Amino acid sequence: MQKVLVTGGAGYIGSHTSLVLLEKGYEVVILDNLCNSSEESIRRVEKLTGKKITFYNVDLMDKEATLEVLNKEPNIDSVIHFAALKAVGESVQKPLIYYNNNISGTINLLECMQETGVNNIVFSSSATVYGDAKEIPVPETAPLGATNPYGQTKLMMETILTDCAKANEKMNVTLLRYFNPVGAHESGEIGEDPEYPNNLLPFVQQVAAGIRPKVFIFGDDYDTPDGTGVRDYIHVMDLAEAHEAAIAKMNGVKVYNVGTGTGYSVKEMIESFRQISGSEISAEITARREGDVAMLTPKAELIKDELGCEAKRGLTEMITDAWHWQSQNPKGFRE
Ligand code: NAD
Ligand code: UFG
């Protein structure tokens, strides 16, 4: 049985990935400081799978405590590194907190892995590393650039990981560049739980549930079919399965886009949510959000060709599962 250390495993994508790993027979150890999550997500994953997770409430900024986890948990085969701060707007306001947490946390983790001989790591990167991409759909080989401190941290972490692999031929690094993860596990037991949503779907979910009065559409004058921004949304369970496929087949440094290859506009997303939830969902057009691009969708074939991994769930499942989670857990994990 392979043993995987999941940093940030109590969070949105980490909890769904831990569930997939347990179901596939892996042993899961989670390290998370719960700065943006709750231990309840871990309990629910255990309940859904009927399996145990070893949980350490540890901050990656605390190198001694992180090393202690790796020493206490011998024979870790791979690390999946989700732990990071991720709010783009906040990163512009508080850049040092982002650089410190995301970069120092990653360096501490890598040092601890080196000291304990763990050589395989899958990293949560983001489509944000393409900046304002010229070529759409964007291939993995496109030029990189970031438009905010959060994106800079992702670019820097990609570079640090790649350099570490160059220096150590035993090391395997897979960089997964996620597009827009949405949805929830079909049970409705785990899902995304933001107190103040920054992203479109969690915001729409909360409007549909009556928690917020309306959704603001950030601009309808983009050069897109209906004037609103187009993104590639991927079901979080498809994304979770991509992580399992990545750790099952590590080989040197690999970089993959993780998306579906199909883009939807903000208006299309809201309309689908109206239809599926039966909620009215008031919407108002406002100014563009600074730093947003008109369209960002990936070339999504490489991960299919090399890892045999393909998104299976479409927009209806994404929204049905998001709404199931939201309506079943109006206060998220905070009840
Ligand atoms: P999340 O906030 O739900 O999960 C991140 C987890 O990391 C949280 O549980 C948090 O408590 C933990 N964490 C943060 N800093 C830590 C530290 N110093 N030590 C220990 N734990 C720490 O976010 P998510 O949406 O699940 O995202 C997971 C990863 O995927 C992040 O790296 C994020 O940047 C990346 N990503 C997310 C998206 C998205 O839209 N959700 C898109 C692209 C990339
Ligand atoms: N949008 C609205 N109203 C909202 C929120 C978003 O109209 O309240 C629009 C945005 O302008 C954009 C689309 O909905 O056109 C998607 O926005 P999100 O904030 O949901 O997602 P982004 O594509 O802007 O950003 C996400 C992650 C980032 C990541 C990026 C990579 O939040 O962490 O994808 O593409 F870097």
Side-chain angles (χ1 to χ4, degrees):
M1 183 162 61
Q2 274 208 45
K3 186 166 173 176
V4 184
L5 174 67
V6 183
T7 77
Y12 172 45
I13 307 168
S15 56
H16 290 80
T17 302
S18 297
L19 183 144
V20 167
L21 292 173
L22 289 169
E23 282 178 341
K24 294 247 178 187
Y26 292 80
E27 185 180 345
V28 173
V29 177
I30 289 180
L31 180 160
D32 198 305
N33 66 357
L34 304 180
C35 70
N36 195 39
S37 53
S38 152
E39 212 177 324
E40 176 64 15
S41 67
I42 299 176
R43 284 190 218 110
R44 292 196 186 179
V45 170
E46 289 182 327
K47 194 177 99 186
L48 286 166
T49 57
K51 296 189 176 161
K52 285 296 293 173
I53 290 173
T54 310
F55 171 56
Y56 293 92
N57 185 343
V58 163
D59 191 330
L60 283 177
M61 301 288 284
D62 183 344
K63 190 185 159 189
E64 244 173 64
T66 303
L67 187 58
E68 216 179 296
V69 172
L70 276 110
N71 280 326
K72 264 200 204 153
E73 296 291 339
N75 311 321
I76 287 174
D77 297 286
S78 318
V79 174
I80 306 183
H81 181 32
F82 292 105
L85 297 175
K86 62 162 186 176
V88 173
E90 188 185 50
S91 81
V92 176
Q93 307 299 323
K94 302 173 183 169
L96 289 178
I97 292 180
Y98 273 68
Y99 285 115
N100 206 9
N101 188 74
N102 294 1
I103 307 290
S104 307
T106 300
I107 293 174
N108 282 344
L109 174 66
L110 286 166
E111 284 179 349
C112 294
M113 287 171 63
Q114 196 173 47
E115 284 170 40
T116 54
V118 179
N119 288 316
N120 298 316
I121 181 164
V122 173
F123 174 64
S124 294
S125 190
S126 162
T128 194
V129 299
Y130 295 118
D132 192 357
K134 299 282 168 286
E135 188 183 345
I136 300 291
V138 62
E140 284 86 350
T141 49
L144 303 180
T147 55
N148 55 67
Y150 164 73
Q152 292 288 2
T153 69
K154 289 287 165 195
L155 266 182
M156 286 178 195
M157 291 184 280
E158 283 201 358
T159 306
I160 292 166
L161 283 156
T162 307
D163 286 345
C164 287
K166 277 186 201 152
N168 173 3
E169 60 178 27
K170 283 194 199 143
M171 196 165 173
N172 298 305
V173 170
T174 301
L175 309 175
L176 296 182
R177 293 181 181 152
Y178 317 156
F179 279 68
N180 293 56
V182 294
H185 185 255
E186 59 178 6
S187 64
E189 287 287 319
I190 54 170
E192 191 168 11
D193 179 29
E195 223 170 325
Y196 305 103
N198 295 302
N199 298 118
L200 179 66
L201 243 261
F203 205 100
V204 172
Q205 272 164 234
Q206 295 194 359
V207 175
I211 298 168
R212 294 175 196 280
K214 61 178 151 185
V215 55
F216 296 97
I217 298 177
F218 298 150
D220 68 347
D221 56 353
Y222 283 105
D223 185 13
T224 58
D226 67 16
T228 65
V230 171
R231 297 289 184 275
D232 185 281
Y233 297 88
I234 177 164
H235 196 294
V236 67
M237 288 302 293
D238 282 324
L239 181 57
E241 286 164 9
H243 289 80
E244 193 279 324
I247 53 170
K249 210 170 179 181
M250 302 222 50
N251 182 17
V253 179
K254 297 284 177 187
V255 186
Y256 300 111
N257 287 335
V258 198
T260 63
T262 305
Y264 291 100
S265 74
V266 176
K267 281 187 176 168
E268 286 175 317
M269 294 301 285
I270 296 172
E271 192 44 45
S272 297
F273 215 104
R274 282 189 185 118
Q275 281 172 17
I276 288 169
S277 66
S279 303
E280 201 177 305
I281 312 184
S282 301
E284 181 184 325
I285 312 285
T286 55
R288 290 180 178 194
R289 183 172 64 180
E290 204 182 323
D292 271 355
V293 298
M295 186 177 290
L296 192 57
T297 60
K299 269 203 161 59
E301 291 81 22
L302 191 64
I303 191 162
K304 182 180 164 200
D305 294 346
E306 294 195 359
L307 300 184
C309 176
E310 193 175 12
K312 299 192 282 284
R313 298 159 180 91
L315 187 61
T316 302
E317 279 138 307
M318 295 180 209
I319 294 183
T320 303
D321 292 338
W323 179 233
H324 187 200
W325 152 253
Q326 176 70 54
S327 42
Q328 214 168 278
N329 304 269
K331 291 186 184 150
F333 294 118
R334 290 179 296 277
E335 286 177 293

